[in-house]
C-alpha cells in the first residue's frame, strides 16, 4: 500500500497553511517581523521538502506557526534574516525529530531550540545544529535523564569535549 | 425445483485476506461498482482517520511521525475495517457497508470485533493448554506454552493490528498463512484445538510410538502430529481395520499395495474421500469444522499416496509403531575427573606439543574420564585437523560416548546445525560423515545402547 497515493489533498493543506502563516504577522509585526505571501509559500515548501527528506508525514497544521511564534521575540532575528532563519529552523526541526527518536514533543524541541539559539548559540544556526542539538540527540539516545543539559553540575550530562574527540 | 444461488458481483476468492478492505476497493473499482467521487471521499476519510489515530499514537505531542509509522497505522486502520467487513455474509454486502457508512464507523466496529477475537483467542489458548496432547515434541510444547502467549503481550490492535508478533514453530495441517494479526492467531488456535481433539482419540503412548516410527528424534522435528496420526488412521481404514487402530503393520501395507496400486487417481481420491467419511463416523466426529479439516487433510495426501503406491514405498506414508527401548544394555559410569590444577597443567602441556601424535599419547596416558576429554576438546588445546586424528585414535566406545554427549543430530548430515554448536562437535560430525557407513551405524547403535550412570 502506497501511503503517498492517498495523501492527495496536499494543495488544500498548503493553502490553509499559508493563510495561517500570514495570520501570524499580526503578532510578529510588533517585533518588526513579517512574512510575504511568497515567503510563506517558501516556508510551506521547505516543510514539505524537510518532511520528505526525513521520511516523515504531518497531518495537522504543523509546526511552522509554532516556530514563528516561539522565535519572533528573539533578539537575533531581524526582518533581513527572518525568512531565511525560519526556513533553516524548519529543516533542523524535522531532522532532529528523527535524531531524538521522537522521544520529545514538538513543543519541547522548539522551546529547547529557542533557548539554545538565544543563549549558548547567540543566534548561530550552525552552532544550534552542529553542537547543541547533536548533544541533545546524543543524550536522549543514551538515556541521560538531564538530556537538555539544563543542570550544569550533573556528571552524566553530555560532555562536549569527549564527543568532539 | 431448481435451487437458485445468488450471483455475487465480487468473488470472495478474488480478495486478499490480509488486506481485505483494500482488495474490495480494488475489485469494486475494477468492476466499476464505485464512483470516482465515492473513491475520493473514501480517500479523504482515510486521511482523517489516519490523522486521528496518529494523534492518539503521539498523544498529541507531535504533529508529524515517521512515514513507516504512518504506514503501519494506516495498515492497522484498514485491517480493523477489514475484520468488520468480513463479518458480512458476502463481499457485496461489505461493499454496501462501505458505501453507506462512514469509514470511522466501520473502523470502530472492526476494532470492537478485533477486541472480541483477542478475548476468544485467550480463552481458546487456555482450553488448549488444559487439554493438549502429551508429547515430547519441542515445537508443539514451546508453541503452546510460550510462543503464542508472546503474541498477547506484544500485539497492538490500535496501531499495528496487522502484525503477528508471535513465535510459532509448530506447523498445522493446511495452515491459512494468508491471514495476519489476531485473525491468524485465532484461526491457528481454532485449528490446533480441532487437531488436538482428533488426536485425543488415541493414547499418548500410541502417538509416541507412531512418532518414533516416523523418526527416532521426532522431539526435535517440525512435524504436524495430527497429519501423521490421521494418515495412519486413513491407512487403517483403507486396510479394513478399525479407525482406532493407529498402528500399520507391514502386512497392512502389503494389502494396501495389492488392493490400491492399480487404481486411477480419480478412484484413489474417491477411496480417500470414503475413508475420510468413515474415519469421522467411527471416531464420532460430528462437528462441521473438524469434519472439514479432516477431509481437507486427507485429500492433501492424494498426490503423495499415489506416488508411494507407484514406487511400492507405502512405508514412507503409513508408519509402523516403534516401541521404546526397554533398558539401556550398557551402563557406563564415568571415571574420576582430575582436579582443576592437574587438568590445567595437562591442557597446557598438550597445547604446547608440536605434533599431534604427542598430544594423542598424553591424552591416552592422562585422560580417564569422558567429561575430562570433552573439557579438553573445548579447551583450545586442539586445533583444526588435529581433531580428526584424535578421533581416529579413539575406540568405538569412546566415540559412541562422545556422540551420546552431543546433540541428537550429530551424525545426521541432513539435520540443521544449531547456532551454539561447539567446534569439536562440528569436527566430530565431519569425522562421522567421512567414516564408512558400517562403522558409523555400529557406533550409532552402540550410542543408543549406552546408559550413562551419574554418580
Amino acid at each position: 500500500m502506497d501511503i503517498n497515493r492517498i495523501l492527495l489533498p496536499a494543495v488544500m493543506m498548503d493553502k490553509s497553511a499559508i493563510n495561517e502563516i500570514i495570520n501570524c504577522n499580526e503578532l510578529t509585526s510588533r517585533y518588526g517581523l513579517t512574512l510575504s505571501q511568497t515567503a510563506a509559500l517558501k516556508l510551506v515548501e521547505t516543510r514539505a521538502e524537510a518532511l520528505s527528506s526525513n521520511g516523515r508525514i504531518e497531518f495537522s497544521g504543523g509546526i511552522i506557526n509554532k516556530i514563528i511564534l516561539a522565535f519572533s521575540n528573539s533578539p537575533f532575528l531581524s526582518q533581513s534574516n527572518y525568512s531565511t532563519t525560519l526556513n533553516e529552523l524548519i529543516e533542523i526541526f524535522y531532522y532532529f525529530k528523527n535524531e531524538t527518536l521522537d522521544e520529545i514533543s514538538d513543543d519541547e524541541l522548539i522551546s529547547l531550540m529557542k533557548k539554545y539559539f538565544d543563549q549558548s548559540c547567540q543566534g548561530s544556526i550552525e552552532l544550534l545544529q552542529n553542537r547543541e542539538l547533536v548533544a541533545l540527540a546524543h543524550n536522549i539516545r543514551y538515556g541521560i535523564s538531564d538530556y537538555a543539559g539544563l543542570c550544569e553540575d550533573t556528571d552524566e550530562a553530555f560532555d562536549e569535549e569527549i564527543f568532539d574527540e | 425445483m431448481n435451487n437458485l444461488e445468488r450471483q455475487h458481483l465480487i468473488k470472495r476468492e478474488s480478495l486478499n485476506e490480509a488486506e481485505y478492505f483494500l482488495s474490495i476497493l480494488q475489485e469494486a473499482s475494477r468492476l466499476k461498482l464505485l464512483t470516482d467521487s465515492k473513491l475520493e471521499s473514501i480517500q479523504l476519510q482515510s486521511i482523517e482517520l489516519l490523522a486521528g489515530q496518529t494523534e492518539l499514537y503521539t498523544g498529541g505531542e507531535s504533529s508529524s511521525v515517521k512515514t513507516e509509522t504512518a504506514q503501519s497505522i494506516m495498515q492497522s486502520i484498514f485491517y480493523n475495517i477489514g475484520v468488520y467487513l468480513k463479518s458480512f455474509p458476502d463481499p457485496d454486502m461489505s461493499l454496501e457497508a462501505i458505501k453507506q457508512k462512514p469509514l470511522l464507523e466501520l473502523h470502530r466496529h472492526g476494532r470492537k470485533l478485533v477486541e472480541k477475537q483477542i478475548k476468544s483467542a485467550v480463552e481458546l489458548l487456555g482450553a488448549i493448554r488444559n487439554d493438549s496432547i502429551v508429547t515430547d515434541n519441542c515445537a508443539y510444547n514451546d508453541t503452546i506454552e510460550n510462543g503464542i502467549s508472546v503474541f498477547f503481550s506484544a500485539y497492538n490492535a490500535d496501531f499495528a493490528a496487522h502484525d503477528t508478533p508471535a513465535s510459532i514453530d509448530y506447523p498445522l495441517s493446511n495452515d491459512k498463512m494468508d491471514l495476519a494479526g489476531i485473525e491468524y492467531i485465532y484461526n491457528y488456535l481454532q485449528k490446533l484445538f480441532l487437531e488436538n481433539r482428533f488426536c485425543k482419540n488415541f493414547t499418548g503412548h500410541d502417538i509416541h510410538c507412531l512418532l518414533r516410527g516416523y523418526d527416532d528424534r521426532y522431539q526435535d522435528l517440525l512435524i504436524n502430529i495430527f497429519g501423521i496420526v490421521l494418515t495412519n488412521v486413513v491407512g487403517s481404514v483403507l486396510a479394513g481395520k478399525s479407525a482406532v487402530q493407529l498402528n500399520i503393520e507391514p502386512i497392512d501395507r502389503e494389502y494396501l499395495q495389492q488392493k490400491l496400486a492399480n487404481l486411477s487417481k480419480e478412484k484413489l481420491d474417491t477411496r480417500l474421500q470414503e475413508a475420510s467419511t468413515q474415519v469421522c463416523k467411527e471416531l464420532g466426529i460430528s462437528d462441521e469444522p473438524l469434519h472439514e479439516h479432516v477431509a481437507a487433510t486427507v485429500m492433501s495426501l492424494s498426490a503423495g499416496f499415489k506416488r508411494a503406491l507407484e514406487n511400492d514405498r507405502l512405508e514412507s506414508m503409513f508408519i509402523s509403531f516403534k516401541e521404546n527401548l526397554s533398558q539401556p544394555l550398557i551402563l557406563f559410569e564415568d571415571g574420576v575427573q582430575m582436579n582443576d590444577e592437574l587438568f590445567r597443567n595437562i591442557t597446557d602441556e598438550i597445547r604446547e606439543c608440536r605434533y599431534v601424535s604427542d598430544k594423542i599419547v598424553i591424552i591416552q596416558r592422562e585422560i580417564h574420564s569422558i567429561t575430562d576429554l570433552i573439557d579438553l576438546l573445548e579447551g583450545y588445546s586442539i586445533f583444526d585437523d588435529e581433531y580428526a586424528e584424535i578421533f581416529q585414535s579413539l575406540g568405538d566406545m569412546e566415540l559412541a560416548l562422545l556422540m551420546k554427549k552431543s546433540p541428537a543430530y550429530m551424525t545426521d548430515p541432513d539435520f540443521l546445525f544449531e547456532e551454539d554448536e561447539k567446534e569439536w562437535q562440528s569436527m566430530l560430525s565431519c569425522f562421522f560423515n567421512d567414516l564408512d557407513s558400517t562403522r558409523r551405524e555400529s557406533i550409532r547403535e552402540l550410542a543408543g545402547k549406552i546408559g550413562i550412570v551419574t554418580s
Side-chain angles (χ1 to χ4, degrees):
Chain A
M1 185 195 60
D2 181 6
I3 198 161
N4 296 315
R5 211 160 35 109
I6 50 169
L7 294 178
L8 289 178
V11 182
M12 284 160 56
M13 284 169 76
D14 286 357
K15 262 189 186 169
S16 75
I18 292 169
N19 286 337
E20 282 175 27
I21 293 168
I22 296 295
N23 288 342
C24 288
N25 283 343
E26 279 179 34
L27 293 164
T28 57
S29 56
R30 80 174 88 156
Y31 303 108
L33 303 170
T34 53
L35 289 165
S36 66
Q37 193 83 16
T38 324
L41 176 62
K42 174 78 180 123
L43 289 184
V44 173
E45 285 170 357
T46 302
R47 179 186 66 173
E49 279 164 26
L51 282 167
S52 161
S53 64
N54 288 297
R56 297 184 71 85
I57 283 181
E58 193 162 65
F59 297 99
S60 51
I63 50 88
I64 302 180
N65 294 11
K66 285 185 177 176
I67 290 181
I68 290 175
L69 297 177
F71 279 77
S72 58
N73 67 355
S74 168
F76 299 101
L77 284 188
S78 62
Q79 184 60 34
S80 62
N81 66 10
Y82 184 43
S83 174
T84 325
T85 310
L86 284 179
N87 278 299
E88 286 172 325
L89 288 171
I90 289 166
E91 279 173 17
I92 291 171
F93 173 84
Y94 288 114
Y95 179 76
F96 281 99
K97 275 299 278 186
N98 279 353
E99 290 299 296
T100 53
L101 311 173
D102 282 303
E103 288 290 319
I104 54 173
S105 68
D106 289 355
D107 291 347
E108 189 177 6
L109 181 56
I110 292 171
S111 128
L112 286 171
M113 282 166 69
K114 168 70 166 40
K115 181 176 162 294
Y116 298 142
F117 183 75
D118 281 357
Q119 295 174 15
S120 51
C121 302
Q122 295 287 294
S124 162
I125 285 280
E126 288 70 30
L127 285 179
L128 174 67
Q129 182 175 1
N130 300 327
R131 189 179 70 187
E132 302 301 330
L133 292 179
V134 166
L136 174 76
H138 174 278
N139 288 350
I140 285 173
R141 281 170 186 273
Y142 283 84
I144 293 167
S145 51
D146 177 29
Y147 53 79
L150 297 174
C151 308
E152 300 290 335
D153 301 336
T154 316
D155 289 340
E156 61 172 358
F158 178 71
D159 187 320
E160 183 185 319
E161 284 173 23
I162 292 171
F163 185 75
D164 284 342
E165 281 167 13
Chain B
M1 202 175 90
N2 289 336
N3 279 333
L4 289 177
E5 199 175 308
R6 198 179 152 210
Q7 289 297 309
H8 300 300
L9 297 169
I10 300 177
K11 303 268 178 284
R12 183 74 166 81
E13 55 276 11
S14 60
L15 300 175
N16 179 330
E17 285 294 323
E19 293 188 340
Y20 195 74
F21 173 55
L22 281 183
S23 64
I24 286 193
L25 288 186
Q26 274 162 2
E27 272 298 285
S29 166
R30 190 178 68 81
L31 299 167
K32 307 219 180 307
L33 301 172
L34 273 177
T35 61
D36 285 351
S37 66
K38 187 66 202 171
L39 268 174
E40 208 170 291
S41 146
I42 291 170
Q43 280 182 333
L44 282 173
Q45 289 182 63
S46 303
I47 295 165
E48 279 171 22
L49 252 174
L50 178 59
Q53 286 298 102
T54 306
E55 198 175 342
L56 279 178
Y57 177 82
T58 62
E61 294 205 325
S62 182
S63 64
S64 63
V65 286
K66 285 190 158 192
T67 313
E68 310 89 87
T69 311
Q71 195 121 15
S72 170
I73 295 172
M74 184 60 113
Q75 274 179 286
S76 185
I77 291 168
F78 288 171
Y79 178 91
N80 278 302
I81 293 174
V83 169
Y84 176 59
L85 296 178
K86 282 182 196 173
S87 68
F88 289 94
D90 63 65
D92 291 345
M93 292 174 79
S94 307
L95 181 62
E96 214 41 50
I98 295 173
K99 286 179 182 170
Q100 304 296 336
K101 294 180 183 174
L103 232 49
L104 184 71
E105 196 180 323
L106 302 182
H107 178 253
R108 204 173 48 235
H109 285 308
R111 183 67 187 79
K112 273 185 194 161
L113 284 181
V114 165
E115 206 55 57
K116 223 166 134 184
Q117 272 196 12
I118 295 173
K119 261 190 188 166
S120 307
V122 170
E123 282 169 16
L124 199 49
L125 178 62
I128 288 170
R129 276 187 177 159
N130 287 336
D131 201 21
S132 57
I133 310 169
V134 179
T135 176
D136 296 331
N137 184 263
C138 297
Y140 179 85
N141 293 329
D142 283 352
T143 300
I144 292 176
E145 282 312 312
N146 311 311
I148 295 177
S149 46
V150 170
F151 173 85
F152 296 109
S153 48
Y155 189 56
N156 187 335
D158 284 317
F159 307 118
H162 55 288
D163 279 348
T164 319
S167 164
I168 296 174
D169 292 329
Y170 181 70
L172 293 179
S173 168
N174 289 322
D175 196 5
K176 269 191 106 179
M177 300 295 277
D178 52 348
L179 291 172
I182 182 62
E183 284 189 312
Y184 175 74
I185 293 293
Y186 190 52
N187 183 272
Y188 181 94
L189 289 170
Q190 278 180 317
K191 275 200 175 157
L192 184 59
F193 185 72
L194 294 177
E195 294 190 356
N196 281 354
R197 250 186 39 213
F198 181 87
C199 291
K200 283 279 170 177
N201 285 298
F202 308 92
T203 64
H205 175 259
D206 277 2
I207 292 175
H208 168 71
C209 292
L210 174 67
L211 295 180
R212 276 207 68 205
Y214 181 85
D215 193 294
D216 272 335
R217 291 155 293 179
Y218 76 87
Q219 292 87 343
D220 302 325
L221 299 181
L222 299 179
I223 44 169
N224 176 245
I225 299 172
F226 163 79
I228 296 173
V229 169
L230 178 59
T231 306
N232 255 36
V233 173
V234 166
S236 270
V237 167
L238 287 172
K241 300 198 308 188
S242 153
V244 291
Q245 282 181 277
L246 200 50
N247 191 14
I248 298 275
E249 306 282 358
I251 195 165
D252 299 326
R253 284 194 289 269
E254 277 173 38
Y255 173 74
L256 288 172
Q257 182 68 37
Q258 281 176 8
K259 196 174 140 198
L260 306 172
N262 297 322
L263 291 187
S264 66
K265 170 127 186 16
E266 289 70 31
K267 282 192 175 158
L268 198 63
D269 284 353
T270 313
R271 289 290 173 87
L272 282 175
Q273 270 168 359
E274 288 165 0
S276 157
T277 313
Q278 196 182 331
V279 166
C280 290
K281 200 174 155 194
E282 280 193 44
L283 298 180
I285 297 167
S286 52
D287 66 314
E288 200 53 30
L290 183 51
H291 212 287
E292 277 174 17
H293 192 44
V294 167
T297 305
V298 170
M299 291 324 291
S300 71
L301 300 175
S302 168
F305 193 15
K306 182 80 186 143
R307 210 167 30 245
L309 282 168
E310 281 166 3
N311 297 332
D312 194 6
R313 284 284 176 274
L314 280 185
E315 61 269 31
S316 64
M317 244 190 115
F318 302 120
I319 298 155
S320 296
F321 277 13
K322 193 169 178 186
E323 295 282 343
N324 277 336
L325 284 176
S326 49
Q327 281 295 314
L329 302 174
I330 303 165
L331 288 178
F332 173 81
E333 191 171 356
D334 201 7
V336 181
Q337 278 180 257
M338 60 184 86
N339 65 47
D340 289 349
E341 198 181 340
L342 184 58
F343 181 78
R344 243 191 326 272
N345 292 339
I346 288 173
T347 47
D348 289 345
E349 194 184 342
I350 288 175
R351 192 177 301 117
E352 283 159 17
C353 283
R354 188 169 168 191
Y355 301 109
V356 66
S357 52
D358 297 337
K359 294 189 177 187
I360 292 170
V361 170
I362 300 172
I363 290 170
Q364 286 178 342
R365 191 182 62 216
E366 304 289 351
I367 307 283
H368 305 292
S369 143
I370 193 74
T371 315
D372 280 345
L373 180 59
I374 289 171
D375 286 346
L376 177 75
L377 293 172
E378 290 175 4
Y380 305 103
S381 308
I382 316 288
F383 310 102
D384 309 324
D385 297 341
E386 294 176 352
Y387 282 103
E389 290 192 49
I390 287 169
F391 294 143
Q392 193 64 52
S393 74
L394 299 175
D396 284 3
M397 179 56 94
E398 284 97 350
L399 289 171
L401 280 166
L402 284 180
M403 184 195 266
K404 189 96 186 161
K405 290 275 189 179
S406 308
Y409 59 82
M410 196 74 245
T411 53
D412 187 346
D414 296 333
F415 223 97
L416 292 173
F417 289 111
E418 283 185 3
E419 283 170 11
D420 57 354
E421 187 187 48
K422 297 188 169 99
E423 191 184 8
W424 72 269
Q425 291 173 337
S426 121
M427 290 293 183
L428 184 61
S429 176
C430 295
F431 175 77
F432 273 121
N433 291 339
D434 291 342
L435 280 182
D436 68 273
S437 57
T438 326
R439 185 166 178 221
R440 191 166 57 225
E441 274 315 304
S442 82
I443 294 173
R444 188 185 290 172
E445 210 174 292
L446 191 58
K449 289 177 186 168
I450 297 173
I452 296 178
V453 180
T454 46
S455 47

